[in-house]
């Protein structure tokens, strides 16, 4: 997991809590999860507040890890596991860093939208200072990364989201002082920079996953020591992710045609789904 991922989990949890002070009754995450650590756990904080969560992942081993963590948290009765997205409606659908990994990110969004009236989409923020550092570092070893994908660009993503519904809110998420250098699992930030090879700390398996219960003291102390810029004007510089809250538009009285209007006018007044 590592301190970077631990903080990322905390930042995502805080954003979800801020956007949903009243927890939804049902929620779905998956079927693609771009998390560097254990997938399928973004909505655990909502389950702790009463939401019934469905986790859809095409990996039986990943589902087993999710099941174990929910068991440890005493939340097995609030969890449903599926290897594919079930054909049902959810109060909330949550998608984390999935779009760059989908065969067609636009089709992926269109497949999720009919299953909910509220969609949260998180993608890598492509212009933080960490992405510029990473671009410089990879001159020696060129490779494509999540922030290179077109779906991370607001000018590409926002029109697609607005074609689905109304973007109710946007936020910068996961804004610690350190850069997001997109290190591989088990690799340290220092190792990625080529200045050290120390073993990573704060690495957890399903039986020690820290957010299933009270935080371990060493992790809580470490998180308190590091400043973050979530609510600062500096957030765009430090943010690792951007989040979008999309809701289905609710018809207003002005958009409801009068019974005396011609049929053509009534058809024109309907909003697209």
């Amino acid at each position: 997991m590592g301190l970077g991922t631990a903080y990322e989990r905390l930042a995502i949890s805080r954003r979800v809590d801020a956007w949903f002070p009243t927890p939804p009754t049902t929620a779905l995450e998956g079927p693609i999860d771009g998390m560097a650590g254990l997938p399928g756990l973004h909505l655990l904080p909502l389950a702790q507040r009463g939401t019934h969560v469905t986790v859809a992942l095409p990996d039986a081993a990943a589902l087993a890890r999710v099941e174990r963590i929910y068991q440890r948290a005493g939340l097995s009765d609030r969890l449903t596991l599926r290897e594919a997205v079930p054909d049902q409606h959810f109060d909330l659908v949550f998608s984390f860093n999935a779009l760059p990994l989908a065969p067609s990110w636009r089709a992926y969004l269109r497949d999720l939208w009919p299953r909910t009236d509220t969609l949260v989409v998180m993608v890598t923020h492509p212009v933080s200072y960490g992405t510029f550092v990473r671009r410089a570092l990879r001159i020696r070893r060129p490779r494509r990364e999540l922030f290179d994908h077109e779906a991370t660009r607001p000018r590409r993503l926002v029109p697609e989201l607005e074609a689905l519904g109304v973007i109710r809110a946007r936020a910068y998420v996961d804004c610690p002082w350190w850069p997001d250098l997109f290190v591989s699992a088990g690799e340290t930030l220092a190792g990625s920079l080529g200045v050290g090879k120390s073993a990573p700390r704060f690495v957890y398996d399903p039986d020690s996953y820290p957010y299933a219960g009270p935080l371990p003291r060493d992790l809580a102390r470490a998180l308190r020591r590091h400043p973050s810029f979530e609510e600062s004007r500096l957030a765009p510089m430090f943010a690792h992710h951007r989040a979008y809250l999309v809701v289905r538009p609710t018809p207003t009285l002005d958009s409801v045609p009068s019974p005396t209007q011609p049929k053509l006018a009534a058809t024109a007044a309907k909003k697209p789904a």
Side-chain angles (χ1 to χ4, degrees), residues 11-147:
I12 294 170
S13 175
R14 287 172 175 169
R15 174 47 48 199
V16 170
D17 284 344
W19 277 353
F20 300 97
T22 300
T25 302
T26 61
L28 165 76
E29 62 174 293
I32 300 175
D33 189 334
M35 189 72 179
L38 299 172
L41 297 170
H42 304 294
L43 298 184
L44 177 65
L46 282 184
Q48 292 168 327
R49 295 168 56 208
T51 300
H52 188 97
V53 174
T54 296
V55 176
L57 293 171
D59 182 342
L63 290 175
R65 290 191 290 268
V66 172
E67 183 176 32
R68 175 59 182 153
I69 290 168
Y70 269 73
Q71 286 174 344
R72 286 186 51 240
L75 298 171
S76 295
D77 61 333
R78 296 180 189 169
L79 174 67
T80 297
L81 300 173
R82 294 284 186 269
E83 292 191 2
V85 175
D87 187 14
Q88 66 185 80
H89 187 274
F90 298 90
D91 296 320
L92 166 66
V93 170
F94 184 96
S95 175
F96 183 82
N97 256 356
L99 303 186
L101 305 176
S104 169
W105 65 273
R106 292 176 175 86
Y108 186 82
L109 284 174
R110 291 195 296 268
D111 287 345
L112 290 179
W113 185 240
R115 293 172 169 83
T116 189
D117 293 329
T118 303
L119 174 66
V120 171
V121 176
M122 289 194 183
V123 293
T124 296
H125 180 43
V127 290
S128 68
Y129 86 97
T131 63
F132 294 111
V133 173
R134 189 62 178 179
R135 288 183 178 99
L137 288 174
R138 69 183 186 183
I139 291 175
R140 296 174 299 171
R141 293 186 302 169
R143 69 177 188 182
R144 287 189 61 80
E145 300 185 76
L146 289 176
F147 61 78

Side-chain angles (χ1 to χ4, degrees), residues 172 228-236 238:
Y172 294 100
S228 64
F229 302 92
E230 231 81 13
E231 305 302 326
S232 163
R233 292 181 180 179
L234 298 175
F238 290 90

